[in-house]
Amino acid sequence: MAFAPMGPEASFFEVLDRHRESLLAALRRGGQEPPSGGSRVASSSEVLVSIENIIQDIITSLARNEAPAFTIDNRSSWENIKFEDSVGLQMVSHCTTRKIKSDSPKSVKKFALILKILSMIYKLVQSNTYATKRDIYYTDSQLFGNQTVVDNIINDISCMLKVSRRSLHILSTSKGLIAGNLRYIEEDGTKVNCTCGATAVAVPSNIQGIRNLVTDAKFVLIVEKDATFQRLLDDNFCNKLSPCIMITGKGVPDLNTRLLVKKLWDTFHVPVFTLVDADPHGIEIMCIYKYGSMSMSFEAHHLTVPAIRWLGLLPSDLKRLNVPKDSLIPLTNRDQMKLDSILRRPYVTCQPFWRKEMEIMADSKMKAEIQALTFLSSDYLSRVYLPNKLKFGGWI
Amino acid sequence: MRALARGVLWGGGNDAFSSGRLRKLRRLPSAGGHPEAEPDAASEILRFLIIHWKCDIDVSKGALLEGQLEISIEGLHSKHQANALHCVTTIASAGSLFGGMVLKKFLKEIQSILPGISAKLTWTSEEGSYPQDMTGVTPFQMTFEVDEKPRTLMTDCLVIKHFLRKIIMVHPKIRFNFSIKVNGILSTEIFGVENEPTLNLGNGIALVVDSQHYVSRPNFGTIESHCSRIHPVLGHPVILFIPEDVAGMDLLGELILTPAAALCPSPKVSSNQLNRIYSVSIFLYGPLGLPLILSTWEQPMTTFFKDTSSLIDWKKYHLCMVPNLDLNLDRDLVLPDVSYRAESSEGDQSHNMDPQGQTLLLFLFVDFHSAFPVQQMEIWGVYTLLTAHLNAILVESHSVVQGCIQFTVDQVLEQHHQAAKAQQKLQASLSVAVNSIMSILTGSTRSSFRKMCLQTLQAADTQEFGTKLHKVFREITQHQFLHHCSCEVKQQLTLEKKDSAQGTEDVPDNSSRELLADTNEQAENKRLKRGSLRMEEIRALHSARAPSPSEAAPRRPEATAAPLTPSGRAAFKAHGRALAPGRVSRGSRLEDVLWLQEVSNLSEWLSPSPGP
């Protein structure tokens, strides 16, 4: 391996290595079954035929003097989502659907927009070109109204055709950053080396296309916020705890960031940890990486990493480290509602330690950002907190 | 012949028309040999009868009057007056009308109003017995006689018919059989709207919503694009102010004006028809839904309504309205009390007399509200006051009247504006859908797919395919949108109801000012709701502007029934006198048009008769 050994001695990673072994053992026990249901990577011809079949159905309905309609799975309904410990949140096989009718005043516009985007996808696939969701929106912003409309329709189409968004030749704009012991070659042949320096590397937009991934990393650290990520970069964290990989989605992660984390896990089975604020929002972001989101549950198998562990900032750490109260922030009503919502989610049931931490937060009615640790010292996070946590297994 | 005691008004028997005449009210010609210009007695009696009828059965205000009345006029050559007809008018009920009508009281009260009709009355009493039971369920009949010129009779008949048509528009369960027999020639007409869709307005009246009563069918244009009903929007009630110089009664309540507006025909899918109002028809109703026949009804343009902007600011809709004196009558239509037509403004020809445009129907209901039980004579007095002084009252209340009517019309037009927007949205969406399909079809390299699509729509090429695709899409979606008119849904619901008023819809009592965003039934119900202003709130709104209603209409200390005050009688007389000159002066053109259209089968008796 060509990486310069700048990190701690090998004994530092003993607990991590044991953790990795246990994860691998769990994988072996669970088997490596290919994901069932959900979306898949489809070839261009398959996508084109799928779209043509839809058009054919519409024409047939019209010929029978029936108003055509799209039948779309209710992606955002909890009744259509099940939880599996090995996968996370995913759609049930026979889920409820809704009809987007062409003869209803309320839905005729959406019906037309779905056809519009289908025709655009058809052209992209035919010409083997790609566009982002933003590009789609700007082709006729007045028609679409807002970006969210486009995003939802694209997800609906992906779910309806049971193909990944990538197969539709629609890219999501990457906003994540990655740094550390990782190198790869992008689809166009560009060689990328994420070795820590003063700057990080942007998460590529074509995760499926990257190849030749190489890493020695003992762990992957997902950082919730860009501010914390930059702080760790400044503190030369990647070198101090080398070999490791650091990644951030800058808040709620985009699809490519999630795909990359998933790819790193699937390829290397390196332990993945999250470093999030001790607040409901941070916990929710962590759950997205680990178990997936409701809206993208139809693609859960490609996006979730159930092996993720919560490294920090734990609510119990606040008391343990005597973080002063003026560094804490009271939970708002919105925080409380979100916390209650998370506690009701099915995956919390199999995470008793997570539940306990959330209950500590609920009881104290206080939250804290990672930056609260700076009350001890400005580099406490990278110099003391994270190394201790990683060395002694302080994750849950 | 049954002899009857004075004061009894009883037909007796089980037959629909009793042969026992109770009282003859003979009207003698004036000394000058010319009949006095008399108000239409039949209409006045009918009006009073309905007032009495309503008050008699008014257990719950929402109950609709139900029954059948027979009105017959028989004219023979007068023995007392040259070139005149001796007309005997009979008003009878077919079946029972009242449960506990006190005939003596009724007779006394109607006698008090009859002096306004004629200078002389002759009462006839006959010996005999009469049923002891005067409080049972009774059909009734009354008759009066008058000598008058044929032309006067013609006009009277037209007035009666106009009156009957207007009554049944708000009292849909009353049926009138009107017959005229002159020198042996009989003409009969039935006025009734049984089983027609209505909208219950509360207070015991329901508005007939079938469009054909208001606009003749040739103006409907494409039938599929229009709804067969009007969809009235009820405005907020406002208190009317009575000018101090108006000699009138001491009212123990307030006059409340409630407007209702609707476009007719009501387009199911409004596109080009939006805001192209061709004409305005205004219908005036007084208390209990009785048609208001103004003292200057034949010359409405000298009144408040002469200024077309009195009620509505037409410039807001880029319209210019002028009074319409050129009445294009249809036999089955309800004649409006006031009519305007749109005229081109500023040289713009687009609005000029487009007969395919819509008519804005405006119903003005003036009612009387009191905290005390209202007596028949009080209602009669209010009616008389309105008949004589509606112009002055509306002028005095101009700002509030214009405000509430403007708001109501705004709502009506806004609904159709929203409907037009929905239609535009549909058209735009269909274009997007068709273009998208065409894009995929023309871009496909799979011949089997293209061939299959063309064959399915039986198109020879992609161009024809596109045309057919657009057509079939439009037909399917328009079909659904056209039948998305809320009244279609309501019609089904109404038929399923066990409501005794078949086809009647109730105006919900809740308040809402929401405009109809789409044409679903829920939005339809919302826009038909009354304004939320209760009496106290209405008074509060008016308190800053005017003296309190108690000052404007001084209350009597006792809520006892009282005959019309002399001023009331004077007002009634003035009404009667004013009517005649107008009637005579309106003269040739209009009356001839009315007569020829309404009584076409009686043309023979306009010529000299062969004699008795």
Side-chain angles (χ1 to χ4, degrees), chain A residues 223-236:
Chain A
V223 182
E224 176 196 347
K225 296 189 303 195
D226 184 42
T228 310
F229 184 89
Q230 297 296 335
R231 178 71 215 198
L232 291 174
L233 272 185
D234 293 342
D235 291 348
N236 205 17

Side-chain angles (χ1 to χ4, degrees), chain B residues 465-534:
Chain B
F465 178 85
T467 307
K468 288 193 171 185
L469 180 67
H470 200 279
K471 182 169 175 279
V472 69
F473 245 129
R474 195 175 61 243
E475 284 171 0
I476 286 174
T477 52
Q478 290 283 19
H479 174 79
Q480 181 65 22
F481 272 67
L482 281 175
H483 288 289
H484 209 63
C485 178
S486 59
C487 70
E488 296 282 346
V489 179
K490 272 189 156 180
Q491 200 168 23
Q492 293 177 6
L493 293 175
T494 304
L495 289 172
E496 293 167 3
K497 278 185 181 177
K498 292 182 182 177
D499 194 338
S500 57
Q502 187 175 356
T504 300
E505 306 156 353
D506 282 341
V507 176
D509 202 19
N510 302 326
S511 64
S512 173
R513 292 178 178 81
E514 293 179 13
L515 301 174
L516 185 63
D518 60 38
T519 55
N520 59 41
E521 184 189 355
Q522 188 176 6
E524 175 84 4
N525 280 333
K526 283 182 182 176
R527 89 183 156 79
L528 294 173
K529 290 174 183 174
R530 281 185 180 273
S532 60
L533 296 175
R534 296 188 301 273

Side-chain angles (χ1 to χ4, degrees), chain A residues 47-63 68-70 111-112 114-120 122 160-161, chain B residues 432-444 446 449-450 452-454 456-457 465 469 473:
Chain A
V47 172
L48 293 177
V49 169
S50 296
I51 294 175
E52 287 171 358
N53 288 341
I54 289 176
I55 301 302
Q56 224 163 284
D57 290 341
I58 290 174
I59 304 296
T60 305
S61 291
L62 290 172
F70 291 112
F111 179 88
I114 292 174
L115 275 174
K116 170 81 175 175
I117 293 180
L118 274 173
S119 69
M120 296 174 75
Y122 193 86
M160 185 167 62
L161 299 180
Chain B
V432 169
V434 168
N435 290 339
S436 302
I437 292 173
M438 291 304 296
S439 168
I440 293 171
L441 178 74
T442 54
S444 172
R446 207 156 63 102
F449 164 69
R450 293 198 311 276
M452 186 271 177
C453 289
L454 291 174
T456 304
L457 283 192
F465 178 85
L469 180 67
F473 245 129

Side-chain angles (χ1 to χ4, degrees), chain B residues 181-194:
Chain B
K181 190 175 182 181
V182 177
N183 291 330
I185 302 172
L186 177 67
S187 170
T188 305
E189 192 169 345
I190 297 173
F191 296 85
V193 287
E194 289 165 340

Side-chain angles (χ1 to χ4, degrees), chain A residues 344-364:
Chain A
R344 285 196 299 269
R345 290 182 194 169
Y347 42 68
V348 175
T349 312
C350 62
Q351 294 288 343
F353 295 111
W354 286 30
R355 172 177 279 279
K356 191 175 175 186
E357 292 291 333
M358 283 188 262
E359 285 170 352
I360 291 173
M361 186 188 299
D363 291 341
S364 68

